Amino acid sequence: MNAARQAQLRERLETLREELLAEGRMAIPPARSDAVSQPDEDEAPLTEMTQSIASNRNRERSERLEQIAEALALLAEDPEDFESCEGCGENIGRRRLELMPWVRLCVACQEKIERDGHVPGSRRNLTDYR
């Protein structure tokens, strides 16, 4: 990987990190406004859904920030391996890295993991809902 490509990827990762940090954490609304009141029966499902959405967004944001930090570290330590898939060793693909510079797997290896392995949050069988 040449120096210009390294600089381009580093800049993209740093921009993504700054955008995520600028967004900040999503506030999770409390179920009740005070400790004495009972939650409104009509409002409770909406509050639970809002809490779940905020919690998921915060978790995904934290995971993405961690992935970006790992990608920046790899780019600094071993730029020649940065474009190599951790699964098969082939090049990840220029366009894929431009869109998601934190990824560590090529499309084929990512598809294999999603098809063969369990990806958190995915449900493929009726028995997954038990």
Side-chain angles (χ1 to χ4, degrees), residues 45-91:
L46 178 61
T47 302
E48 288 176 19
M49 182 179 69
T50 304
Q51 289 172 336
S52 178
I53 290 169
S55 178
N56 285 338
R57 183 197 170 274
N58 290 338
R59 183 180 72 329
E60 290 169 0
R61 179 182 166 274
S62 295
E63 289 171 0
R64 181 72 67 233
L65 285 169
E66 185 177 318
Q67 291 169 331
I68 289 171
E70 290 171 0
L72 283 167
L74 179 61
L75 190 59
E77 293 169 12
D78 196 0
E80 294 304 318
D81 280 347
F82 188 81
E83 294 180 308
S84 298
C85 173
E86 290 180 353
C88 66
E90 297 293 322
N91 277 348

Side-chain angles (χ1 to χ4, degrees), residues 80-122:
E80 294 304 318
D81 280 347
F82 188 81
E83 294 180 308
S84 298
C85 173
E86 290 180 353
C88 66
E90 297 293 322
N91 277 348
I92 291 176
R94 187 173 196 90
R95 186 69 179 145
R96 181 169 169 82
L97 280 175
E98 287 172 4
L99 294 172
M100 301 178 295
W102 60 84
V103 296
R104 302 305 338 130
L105 298 171
C106 67
V107 172
C109 289
Q110 184 69 43
E111 286 176 348
K112 184 178 184 328
I113 285 174
E114 290 175 3
R115 183 182 59 245
D116 298 342
H118 177 70
V119 177
S122 68

